[in-house]
Structure formats: structure tokens, C-alpha cells
Amino acid sequence: MSAVLPSGPNLFERILMLKRSMVFSSVSTDDLRVVANELTEEDYVTGERVFDINEQGDHMYIIQSGAIGISLGSKVGSNDYVARLEAGECFGEMGMLDDLPRSGTAHVLKDTHLLVLEKSRLKALIVRYPELSLGILRSLSMRLRDANKKNNN
Amino acid sequence: MINRITKLLLIQPDERSQIVYFLSLFLIIGCGMSIGRVSAEALFFKRYGIEHLPLIYLFQGGLLFVVTLAYASYADRIAPERLLRPLIIILCGALLALWMLMNFYEWEPVYPIYFLLYELVSEIFVVHCMLYVAQNFNVMQSKRLTPLIWGGWQIGSVLGAVTLAATVSNVGLQVMLLVWLVLMVLAGLMITAHHKKAGLSPYHRAGRKGGKALRHAFEQLSQGLSFAQKSDLLKAMSLALFFMVITFYVLCYSVNRVYTSTFTTEAELTMFFGILGATTGTTALIVQIFITNRLIRRFGVRNMNLLFPGLTLLGFSILMFSFALPAAIFASLIKDAFMPAIRNPVRALFFNALPASIQGRSHAVSVGIVLPLALAVAGLTLMLAQQIRDVLYFLGIGLITGMIYFFYSYKTNQSYVSSLVSSLRKKLFVPDDRLNKNIQGDEDEALRVLEHASTDAEPDIRFAAARTMLELFPERAGPVALKVLSTLAPPLRDQLFKMLAPLEPPKLRDYLWQELSHGDLHLRATAMHLLFSIRDTMARALAGEALRDSNPRILAMGIYGAMHYPVEECSSVAMSAWRDMFASDDKPRVMAALDLLMKWPNTEFTPRLTALLQSDDSRIQFAALQVVKVWPNNQLGNLAGILMSSIDSVDPATSVLAADCIALLDTHDRERLATLSLENNHPEVRQAAARALFPVACGVQPVVDWLAADNGSPRAHAAVLDVLLGKNPPRKILEILACQKAGQANYFLEAQRLIEATGKDYKKGHATAANELVVLTDGINSGLDMLAITLLERCHQLLDQALLVARQYEDASTVGVIRAGLKCDDRQHLASASEAVRYIRDQTLADVLVTVLEKLSGEPVTKNRYQIPFSDLASVLAWLTQKNDPWLSECVKQTKGGL
């Protein structure tokens, strides 16, 4: 992992990326401004791992560029990815909301630039701006409804 | 060409394939039913005799009950498309058997059996196909597309009738049984192929599985009946159906008597039935496809529900005037064209207002109980009427039942909206306001509930009950709250004492004295403060004792007591102790000194208070702000600056308290700071700012003027709206305001659609300039993307505000459920809420809301009569710039910069 890239996305692009994530999709853009300001940037090179299975999860990641493979084991070079995530996609978001360990390992498939949100920062924001939590709850409720619908079908 | 046709028929592009399937399927089934109907009637009337028709109605009633029981066993448990397959197989088997009996055995009773088979099958198929359509489309889609889909059935009917009229003289009537059989096989194959690809019906919710089928069927009927007792809508619909069936069959019998006496041979009668079927079918088709859906959208479901009963009454009146062929043809047109074209689609829409889980059972009650019973009554009535030769007797019966049918259709209309809202409430888990109603209505009942809660095993519940009683019924809450006191832990006791003190219930002093010997210092300090406040004579001596205590809280109470009574001999010691506490670096001592300053403001400490207001410690800052709230005006320098920075504190409680203090500033600073704080991200800060901007003394008009102007974001408006609603403005003002909000939502939505369309064109034009970031954000101009999203959010926020205002003068509970439905992303719930909006009393508001909701759901707009103040991107951006909405302005700026 290395330091921040010289030219990151601006506030608008960060908000748009957050808006496309599952956790923040129902949070209003007015509220996402404060979340966007808390995002930090991290770089990873091919072959690195962002996190390992069973590790304590306290960060959420948005891929700005590059690709991430999620596997259910920690073996390096494993081709058994249950998901391959590209630019604009999110991972590790459930770790923000529960205290359970990571359910998979995130492998860097090609050099990747990530926007990162730390759990403690989100918690502080929620305490300060309670409408954020309502938006997050709404997003989760929508997801639950979708899951119910799929299950019924 | 296809686009023009789909536009004319109000079909959305993504609905095309589904419509093609349903149209084709219903066309085939309708064609088969038409052939079955004409052949069954002609064979029965000519080979068996129309005089047996009333008896057949009696049999039909009994058989329908049995068949429906079997149907009800599976109606809710199995997806409608899966249940259609066995129904088709059974029908095909019966048709084959009957055809063999007619051809090889010439057994006379086969004709009434065939007639009965047709009647039973047509009832079950119509009901089941209604259920099938309802489980594939939401309310809004159903309203638009149901008439069109049933149009397929009518095309089939016409084709069937024409085929029969043209071929009957060459091939004979009996062959028609085989033609019907082949058509049903084809329908079965289509259903299988379609659902293999499309999956189960999207709005099907499977009921309970397992158990005995017959017992389950009885359960279904009994559950349906029990629901009918609870649901005004289903009760009125069932009664309307009961009288409609009697009216309908009396009409059938009447016209068939005219036809059989006019056309003497089987071939003539069949040919006439064929031509009549084609004529009524074509009329039904034209009405259904081009007129019904437009009429429903224009006049609403409720008005359309009265059309068919009205026409039936007209038919009977004409027959009473002239019992001859022209009058009979007119009556046939009503029952065979307007019933399928208008009555059936409208009735299907009423079923959508019932909870989805009970729709199948409600259909089962209709077909299994109401229909057979009505048929039996119609049969018996006609048998009796047949004894008297005068046709006026059975026509008179038809006219009377027709009038009762009209009455219950009217009752159905009255229950429609409440049932729609009630179903939506259950689906969205919106709680009913029982306690609220109790409070508004029966005070004793509410008190009883709260008193019961005050003895709950859970201390938090006991505390909440006591607190609620103190808030709602202060004059009656004292004894109960005192009883609760002794059962609570010290922190809750401390809070309850503070709430009880202003009421001074008789035994409060005894309780306070008990607490003085308690080990909990907070509670001791509270008890001391309350006793000193009411100048309890025995407590006076405690002040001197407390001044010698090492605990800062108790010491502060000693200072308070010394000054409040006053205790002259302790005054100087007390002041000196207070100064020491303020000079100290020890946080508890400073906090206690500040707490005392709140109880006993002393301007000697102004410089110290000003310094503490700017403390880095949020708890000290908070305590200092609490003092500011009770501080004499104009005694603190630069309070505006201090409050401004406190509002931005990381501690939300401090921010809110600082915002509460804005009201203490002079007019200029108050307005400036309040206006700024209205855009804060914390809702309570915005509310406090709105209260400061429009204090209690301020009238309604300045608030209304502010809301009418383009001031701030919808969030700021929501806070100001809250203040306005607290001032109980007159209804007229609320109506205007609700319409304004809905109208603004319409503008924002139009702006969003224009921005989105522009964005698509813009991206097309700049596709080659794509870089990684472009791929990342899925847009070349992030400002355009953000603007489109923000405008849609603004539209939803304004819609919600319009309904919030409407809630004050409409039925609050109904509007509350509509608000919840509109906030839900589920299309079915959104459609139900949109349908309910049409029936609010304020029709001016309803018109605007419906326009916006139709646009939001992608439905064609019924009445788009609103002028939009922009036409292209430049004019939209110029219009948005005037809005004084900070975040929107930033989005506009970013958009302009990116173009």
C-alpha cells in the first residue's frame, strides 16, 4: 500500500461513487457531502491483499481504478474468486455495520486505487448527523425487500 | 408504426412482450369460450327447451359451489399460471367425453350437461384470469392495461362467433366442441412456454401450503367470509355481485325468451347467436381497447363502477316498454358488450384494493358462495315468475334487483379508498394511532393504559409511562408518578423528581427528604435544590452544612441555598466559595459552578462565562451554553460569533443547544445566523434556527411569505414548515402551500428529466474523450450526473412536504400512509399510494400530485396542464440559480464548469 495519488476524484465524483454503493444508495446527496469528505485514498499493487478472511473489518472500500477479486480463502493467486470487482464498485461495506470478521479475502488483481471509509469516522458522522443513519437504514431495508422478493420467487 | 400503436394503446416499451403474450393468450381462450357459449346455448334451447332454464340455474348454483370449493383449495396456494394447466386439462377431457356422448349415444341429457359445463368453466376461467392479470401487473399498470388485455378476450369472442356463424350450416354444431378443445390445448402450451422463460407471476405471494385440500378449501371460504365481515369493501362488492347476478340472469332469460320465439330452427338460432356474438364482441372490443381505459383514467374507477348498473336499469326499462327483438338486442348489447368491456375490468381494479394475500380467497367467496346463491335465487324466482304468463313480473323483479345492485355499487365506491389505504398501511407496517386516538378522544381510557404501563416489570417502561402522564395529564399524574418514583434507580428518579417539582404534588416534600439520606450524590443535590427552591423551612439549616461539604455539587447547592433563602450569615462564605470554584482548573468544580450559574445568574461572572463558552472541552462548552439560555440579554460580548462556532461543534448536543441560543440575539444577528443555520446538516439545528427566525410572537404571514419565496433548500423549508404548522395556520393557507410544494416538485422533476436527457446526448458527443475517471463515474460531466440525482431528491422532498401540509387538513391517517407508500421503492406500493392520492378531498392538490406521480412512475400523464418555466439546459440552469439552495447551486456551478 502506498500514499495518496496526486490527482484524486473531486467531491462530486466521490459523492456519486458513494451514491452507487449499497450502504449509501438511499442517503441524500446533501448528507453524502460530509461522508465524501471523510474518504481517504489508498493504493495497492497487483498481488497484494486488501484484507484477509476472518480479519476484523473496520473499513469500506470503493474502487476508483483497478480490479479486486474476492475469494473465500486467503491463498495468494487463487483463481476461485466468488466476485470480481471493477472501478466504481464497493466492497467491505458490511464490516461497517456489523462487528463480524471478514467473510472473504480481497485480492488485488491489477494495480488499484481505492477510496476508503473508516468505521470510526462513519460512527462519528452518524452521531453528529443523525439523518445519515436513517438513509443507511433505508438502503438496508430496500436490500432486505429485494432479498425477500427474490426468495419468494 | 409499432411505436405509434403502443403509444396509442398506452403501452410502455418494456411492457410490450408481456402485453403480446396476454393478448394472444386471452384471444385464444376468448375464442374458445365464445364457440362454447353459442354452441351450448343453441343446443340446449333447441334440443332441450328454454323452459328448463330456471331449473338449470338452480343446478348451476349447486354445482358452482362444489367446483369453487375445489378451485379455492388451490387459488392462493399455487401460482395462477400453474393452476391454469390442470383447469385446461380437465376441460379438454370433459369436452372429448361430451362430444363422444353426443355423436355415438344421442343421449338427451348431454345438452343441459354441456350447457352447465360451459357456464361453470366460463365463471372459473374469468375469475382465474382476473387473478392471473392482477398478479402480473401493479395497480397503475392494471388500470391502464387491463382493458386492453381483456380486449384480447373480446377479439377471440368475435372470431369465435364469426367462425361459428359461417361454418355451422356446413359442419354442424357438435364439431364445435372439438374446436374449443383444440384452442384450449393451444392456450395450455402458450402458458407453459411463457412462464418457462419469464418465471413465476411477479406479484404472486404463495399462501399456506400442505394440509388437506378440501379442509383447506372450506378454510379459504371461511377466511374469505370472515374477511368480508371485516372489510366494508368486500362486503359491499359481494352484495353488489349477488344482486348483479340475479339481475343478469333475469336479463339473460328475458332476452333468450325473445330469441327462441323469434328464431324457430336450430340453424337460424345458431346463426343469429353467431352474428349477435360477433356484434356484441366487436362493440366490447372497441369500447375496451379505445374507450374504457381512457374513461377510467378520466373519470376514475368509482364513477365507472356505476355505469354498468345504470345501463342494466336502462335495458330493463326498455324491455318493459317493448318485449320484442330490438329491445332484446339492446339488452344483449348491455350484458354481452358492456359487461366484459366495462364492468369486468372495473371490478378487477376494485380487487386490487384488497390485500394481495386475501384476493384469491375473496374471488373464491364471490364465485363459491355469492354466485351460486344468487344463481339459485334467480332460478327459483324465474320458476315462480314462469307460472304467471305476464312478462312484466320477471322484468319487474329484474328492475328491482338492478336498483339494489346500483345501490351496492355506490356503497362499494365509498369503501374503495379506505380499503386501498388500509391494505397499504398493513403492507408498509405503518402503525395505527390507537393511543393518539385515545388521548384525543377518551382521556380516561388513555390514562388507564398509562397507569397500567406504570406498573410494568420493566423500569424504563414505568418511567416512560410516568413521564407521558406528566406531559399529557399533569393535573392527574402526580400520585401515579410518585408511586413510580420509589421503584426506579437513582438516575431515573433524579429525572422524574425534576419533572414533578413544578407540579408540587402533596407528598413530594416527604419523598425529597427521604432522598437526602440517600448515598447517590446527584440525587441528594437534586433533592436539596428542589427543597431550597420551594423554600422549605426545615431545609434552610442544610445550606450551611452543604457549604462545608467537599463535593462540588453539594457545595454548589449550599451556595444556592445561602443566596436563595437568603441565609445572611453564610452569604460571603458562599460567594467566596463560588469564586474559588470558577477559578479552579478542576472540571467537576467548574461544571458545578456553571450549573449553579444557570440556577442563579450572576453577572459578576460574565467574563468567566464568556471564556468558558469558548472552551475546548465540549461538556464545559455545553454547560456554559445552558447558562446563556437564562442569561440576562446583551450582557455577553460577541455572542453571535461564539454561537456560530459552537453550532459547528463536533458534539451534536452542543450544536443544537447553540442553535437554540440564536433566539437570544438581536434581530440582525438572529436573522443572519438563523438563515445560515437553516442549511445545517443536523435536523435539530435547522429546527432551532427556524424557531429563532420565526419566534412564537411572529404571526403566520411572514412564515408563509418566506416559504413562498425561493429561500433555501427543501430541508430548510421543512424546518420552517414545522414552525408554521405549530402556529395552526388557516386551512386556505395550507391548501395554497401544499399546491405550491407539489407544483415545485413537478418543476424539479421536469428539470431532472431535461438534465438527464441532455446528459445522455452530452455523453454521446464526448464518448471518445473517455478516461478512467469517466468510466468510474459513468459520466463525463459529474456535475450533470449529480444535478440529475439532486433534482430527483428535491422532487421527492417537496412531494413529501406537500403531503405533510395536506395532512393538516385532510384525513391525517390516510395521508400518512400515502406518504409512507411514496417513500417506498416497491412499485406495487408506490402504485397503490398513487391511486389513493386521486381520492383526497383537495382535488386541486390531487391533480398536481397525480401528474408528478405519473411522471415518476413512467405512466402516461393524464392531465399535463402545467406551464414549465424552462425549455433547454441553459434556461434550466438559469432557473435553478435563482433557487438560493446552496447545494443545488454548487451542482449548477459544477455542471456549468464541466460543459
Side-chain angles (χ1 to χ4, degrees):
Chain A
M1 187 182 77
S2 70
V4 175
L5 274 181
S7 59
N10 67 25
L11 177 73
F12 282 74
E13 283 146 4
R14 286 176 175 217
I15 297 176
L16 286 171
M17 281 184 257
L18 284 167
K19 190 79 186 167
R20 289 189 191 110
S21 70
M22 183 277 286
V23 176
F24 295 108
S25 59
S26 296
V27 179
S28 78
T29 49
D30 298 81
D31 290 321
L32 282 181
R33 280 181 291 175
V34 291
V35 183
N37 283 328
E38 296 297 328
L39 290 173
T40 55
E41 296 175 41
E42 283 177 10
D43 277 321
Y44 291 84
V45 292
T46 310
E48 276 187 301
R49 291 195 303 269
V50 183
F51 54 72
D52 271 310
I53 191 165
N54 293 329
E55 229 176 62
Q56 203 54 43
D58 50 6
H59 289 81
M60 164 188 152
Y61 303 89
I62 303 173
I63 307 170
Q64 193 191 327
S65 62
I68 296 288
I70 305 290
S71 75
L72 298 178
S74 57
K75 201 178 142 196
V76 181
S78 165
N79 286 325
D80 299 328
Y81 299 124
V82 289
R84 187 190 157 94
L85 307 171
E86 304 279 346
E89 291 186 272
C90 256
F91 62 99
E93 62 264 56
M94 291 317 291
M96 302 288 284
L97 306 169
D98 56 38
D99 287 324
L100 298 175
R102 299 286 191 196
S103 53
T105 301
H107 304 266
V108 179
L109 302 181
K110 61 180 177 184
D111 291 1
T112 296
H113 186 67
L114 297 173
L115 293 175
V116 185
L117 181 61
E118 206 181 316
K119 188 178 189 164
S120 59
R121 289 193 185 205
L122 180 67
K123 273 188 177 171
L125 285 176
I126 285 174
V127 171
R128 203 169 158 194
Y129 307 114
E131 279 167 329
L132 256 179
S133 57
L134 288 178
I136 293 172
L137 279 175
R138 204 170 124 80
S139 307
L140 293 175
S141 152
M142 295 302 162
R143 182 142 162 157
L144 189 63
R145 276 182 192 278
D146 283 349
N148 274 340
K149 206 177 267 180
K150 277 178 195 155
N151 191 34
N152 277 338
N153 285 340
Chain B
M1 182 65 180
I2 291 173
N3 284 342
R4 284 184 64 185
I5 294 171
T6 50
K7 205 174 169 185
L8 180 74
L9 298 175
L10 306 173
I11 302 168
Q12 302 292 307
D14 58 340
E15 295 164 346
R16 276 183 203 163
S17 62
Q18 214 181 357
I19 295 296
V20 169
Y21 162 71
F22 274 100
L23 262 176
S24 325
L25 178 72
F26 279 28
L27 186 140
I28 291 168
I29 297 177
C31 184
M33 289 293 168
S34 169
I35 288 171
R37 179 188 161 182
V38 175
S39 55
E41 284 182 352
L43 285 168
F44 175 72
F45 293 154
K46 285 300 167 191
R47 296 192 191 178
Y48 203 69
I50 191 170
E51 63 278 12
H52 301 294
L53 193 55
L55 188 66
I56 289 293
Y57 285 164
L58 257 177
F59 271 116
Q60 194 181 328
L63 278 173
L64 200 56
F65 177 74
V66 176
V67 170
T68 308
L69 268 185
Y71 169 73
S73 313
Y74 301 100
D76 274 340
R77 301 203 299 177
I78 304 174
E81 61 277 8
R82 287 192 182 159
L83 191 54
L84 264 172
R85 278 179 243 159
L87 287 177
I88 288 172
I89 292 168
I90 293 167
L91 172 63
C92 291
L95 284 173
L96 193 63
L98 286 170
W99 178 79
M100 287 167 77
L101 283 170
M102 277 182 206
N103 279 279
F104 304 122
Y105 298 99
E106 292 183 8
W107 185 47
E108 209 182 31
V110 77
Y111 304 112
I113 292 173
Y114 180 44
F115 184 85
L116 279 171
L117 175 76
Y118 164 75
E119 291 290 335
L120 295 177
V121 163
S122 66
E123 289 300 340
I124 295 289
F125 265 75
V126 166
V127 169
H128 191 71
C129 287
M130 272 186 203
L131 186 69
Y132 187 28
V133 172
Q135 294 191 354
N136 277 275
F137 298 98
N138 65 43
V139 181
M140 298 280 268
Q141 286 176 309
S142 290
K143 224 160 93 174
R144 188 164 39 84
L145 303 172
T146 302
L148 179 67
I149 289 167
W150 284 97
W153 190 292
Q154 287 310 319
I155 297 176
S157 294
V158 174
L159 287 176
V162 170
T163 311
L164 208 130
T167 57
V168 70
S169 51
N170 298 326
V171 296
L173 257 177
Q174 287 160 211
V175 177
M176 292 303 152
L177 275 78
L178 294 181
V179 178
W180 188 12
L181 188 152
V182 170
L183 287 169
M184 294 317 287
V185 169
L186 194 60
L189 292 173
M190 273 185 75
I191 294 163
T192 310
H194 175 77
H195 286 282
K196 207 168 183 180
K197 199 173 150 197
L200 288 183
S201 298
Y203 299 113
H204 169 69
R205 297 288 175 267
R208 191 163 50 98
K209 287 191 171 121
K212 298 255 162 57
L214 192 62
R215 199 182 69 192
H216 178 68
F218 275 111
E219 267 175 25
Q220 290 262 301
L221 286 178
S222 92
Q223 283 166 359
L225 275 177
S226 119
F227 186 71
Q229 284 169 355
K230 287 181 224 149
S231 160
D232 288 341
L233 178 65
L234 190 55
K235 205 186 296 171
M237 279 173 77
S238 302
L239 285 164
L241 178 70
F242 180 78
F243 289 103
M244 193 283 288
V245 171
I246 299 175
T247 313
F248 181 83
Y249 279 98
V250 172
L251 198 63
C252 283
Y253 175 75
S254 308
V255 295
N256 282 322
R257 266 185 66 156
V258 176
Y259 298 146
T260 44
S261 61
T262 309
F263 303 98
T264 46
T265 66
E266 186 180 296
E268 276 175 3
L269 187 64
T270 310
M271 199 170 287
F272 171 74
F273 276 157
I275 295 165
L276 183 69
T279 312
T280 53
T282 309
T283 312
L285 180 69
I286 292 167
V287 172
Q288 199 156 328
I289 295 183
F290 297 106
I291 300 173
T292 306
N293 50 3
R294 285 182 165 78
L295 285 179
I296 293 175
R297 282 158 60 78
R298 170 65 62 182
F299 297 106
V301 207
R302 296 198 296 185
N303 288 325
M304 290 302 291
N305 190 38
L306 298 178
L307 188 61
F308 182 68
L311 284 171
T312 312
L313 286 176
L314 183 68
F316 270 109
S317 307
I318 293 173
L319 273 171
M320 285 177 102
F321 181 71
S322 155
F323 196 65
L325 192 63
I329 291 173
F330 179 73
S332 286
L333 202 66
I334 292 169
K335 77 176 181 65
D336 296 334
F338 291 109
M339 181 152 159
I342 292 173
R343 185 259 173 196
N344 290 351
V346 169
R347 186 174 153 80
L349 291 176
F350 274 87
F351 266 103
N352 281 342
L354 298 169
S357 58
I358 203 80
Q359 280 180 18
R361 273 164 272 191
S362 306
H363 279 296
V365 168
S366 298
V367 186
I369 295 176
V370 182
L371 198 55
L373 204 63
L375 260 168
V377 172
L380 273 174
T381 314
L382 286 171
M383 278 167 83
L384 290 173
Q386 263 183 345
Q387 309 299 316
I388 307 159
R389 297 276 169 190
D390 195 342
V391 292
L392 274 178
Y393 280 90
F394 55 79
L395 288 177
I397 292 168
L399 196 66
I400 293 166
T401 53
M403 284 174 186
I404 307 173
Y405 168 39
F406 190 93
F407 171 74
Y408 280 112
S409 298
Y410 175 74
K411 297 288 279 181
T412 305
N413 285 352
Q414 286 183 321
S415 316
Y416 172 62
V417 180
S418 58
S419 176
L420 193 70
V421 171
S422 160
S423 299
L424 195 58
R425 180 196 295 281
K426 281 174 194 149
K427 283 179 207 163
L428 294 167
F429 306 107
V430 178
D432 60 12
D433 42 5
R434 193 177 140 220
L435 184 61
N436 192 26
K437 274 182 190 154
N438 283 340
I439 292 163
Q440 286 167 357
D442 188 350
E443 195 173 283
D444 289 336
E445 170 65 11
L447 263 169
R448 199 188 56 74
V449 171
L450 288 169
E451 207 164 334
H452 179 72
S454 73
T455 57
D456 195 277
E458 198 62 47
D460 285 337
I461 293 177
R462 293 198 297 275
F463 173 73
R467 189 184 55 193
T468 312
M469 278 181 94
L470 285 165
E471 283 165 5
L472 297 174
F473 313 107
E475 70 290 351
R476 296 171 71 177
V480 177
L482 282 173
K483 252 191 233 172
V484 172
L485 254 179
S486 51
T487 69
L488 298 175
L492 291 180
R493 244 177 18 239
D494 190 276
Q495 287 183 48
L496 202 53
F497 267 127
K498 286 174 185 161
M499 285 185 250
L500 266 167
L503 302 173
E504 288 192 48
K507 289 186 178 169
L508 180 67
R509 285 174 198 232
D510 299 344
Y511 280 88
L512 289 172
W513 274 100
Q514 280 173 27
E515 296 300 347
L516 286 175
S517 54
H518 199 278
D520 186 89
L521 282 169
H522 280 256
L523 208 45
R524 262 179 68 198
T526 301
M528 219 177 256
H529 171 239
L530 295 177
L531 284 168
F532 291 166
S533 300
I534 53 177
R535 290 199 169 85
D536 183 278
T537 42
M538 285 169 69
R540 193 173 189 274
L542 293 175
E545 257 180 60
L547 277 172
R548 290 188 294 275
D549 204 294
S550 58
N551 182 278
R553 276 179 188 275
I554 305 294
L555 174 60
M557 286 308 108
I559 300 169
Y560 175 75
M563 288 182 296
H564 186 66
Y565 277 102
V567 187
E568 300 292 345
E569 63 273 21
C570 299
S571 293
S572 60
V573 179
M575 275 310 289
S576 161
W578 200 359
R579 285 183 201 115
D580 286 348
M581 285 169 86
F582 263 129
S584 165
D585 287 334
D586 181 43
K587 190 172 159 184
R589 285 174 73 82
V590 176
M591 292 287 285
L594 275 171
D595 185 50
L596 179 57
L597 201 56
M598 193 170 71
K599 294 179 172 83
W600 193 266
N602 184 336
T603 51
E604 180 193 325
F605 297 110
T606 302
R608 186 63 182 138
L609 176 63
T610 311
L612 291 174
L613 277 168
Q614 294 162 80
S615 165
D616 291 335
D617 188 308
S618 64
R619 284 192 63 199
I620 290 181
Q621 203 185 12
F622 183 84
L625 279 166
Q626 280 186 312
V627 179
V628 171
K629 281 192 83 177
V630 295
W631 202 251
N633 278 346
N634 306 320
Q635 292 287 318
L636 291 165
N638 191 27
L639 182 59
I642 292 169
L643 291 181
M644 205 174 205
S645 80
S646 300
I647 287 170
D648 288 334
S649 163
V650 287
D651 175 40
T654 306
S655 303
V656 175
L657 188 57
D660 260 337
C661 294
I662 297 174
L664 305 171
L665 298 169
D666 62 54
T667 312
H668 176 260
D669 281 340
R670 180 166 52 83
E671 287 182 2
R672 184 175 58 85
L673 206 50
T675 308
L676 272 173
S677 303
L678 273 175
E679 297 297 344
N680 193 283
N681 272 5
H682 198 295
E684 286 179 48
V685 170
R686 296 197 295 270
Q687 279 161 5
R691 285 194 300 271
L693 196 58
F694 302 106
V696 179
C698 165
V700 166
Q701 200 51 48
V703 193
V704 174
D705 292 343
W706 190 93
L707 285 166
D710 278 329
N711 281 320
S713 65
R715 301 203 303 186
H717 276 240
V720 175
L721 205 53
D722 205 36
V723 171
L724 177 72
L725 298 180
K727 291 177 186 287
N728 294 320
R731 183 190 166 116
K732 193 73 211 160
I733 285 182
L734 291 174
E735 283 177 357
I736 294 169
L737 201 57
C739 267
Q740 273 177 357
K741 292 283 172 198
Q744 283 166 4
N746 187 32
Y747 290 158
F748 275 112
L749 184 58
E750 282 293 340
Q752 190 266 349
R753 292 165 82 170
L754 205 146
I755 295 279
E756 209 167 56
T758 312
K760 277 179 194 159
D761 293 344
Y762 189 82
K763 281 170 196 168
K764 267 186 213 163
H766 290 70
T768 49
N771 54 30
E772 200 163 37
L773 194 64
V774 170
V775 175
L776 180 70
T777 61
D778 192 32
I780 288 129
N781 184 335
S782 59
L784 265 178
D785 287 348
M786 183 63 76
L787 194 54
I789 293 172
T790 308
L791 285 171
L792 194 60
E793 284 176 0
R794 293 294 185 255
C795 170
H796 281 287
Q797 287 162 343
L798 287 162
L799 269 184
D800 192 53
Q801 284 177 23
L803 285 166
L804 181 71
V805 176
R807 204 181 165 165
Q808 309 302 310
Y809 61 90
E810 289 280 348
D811 176 46
S813 169
T814 304
V815 178
V817 175
I818 293 172
R819 280 179 75 199
L822 295 185
K823 280 179 186 167
C824 180
D825 280 356
D826 187 299
R827 281 175 70 90
Q828 184 80 329
H829 299 165
L830 188 72
S832 297
S834 306
E835 174 65 7
V837 161
R838 287 173 196 273
Y839 301 101
I840 58 173
R841 283 193 297 270
D842 183 352
Q843 276 301 298
T844 318
L845 174 65
D847 281 351
V848 193
L849 289 173
V850 166
T851 303
V852 181
L853 295 173
E854 281 174 343
K855 286 178 191 172
L856 272 173
S857 58
E859 291 285 320
V861 180
T862 321
K863 304 175 192 172
N864 197 4
R865 55 166 89 115
Y866 308 100
Q867 289 288 321
I868 304 300
F870 41 78
S871 54
D872 54 16
L873 183 62
S875 55
V876 169
L877 296 179
W879 180 76
L880 291 173
T881 312
Q882 299 161 12
K883 292 282 143 201
N884 292 325
D885 176 338
W887 174 233
L888 204 55
S889 300
E890 269 187 62
C891 294
V892 171
K893 206 169 139 190
Q894 177 79 7
T895 307
K896 281 180 178 169
L899 288 174

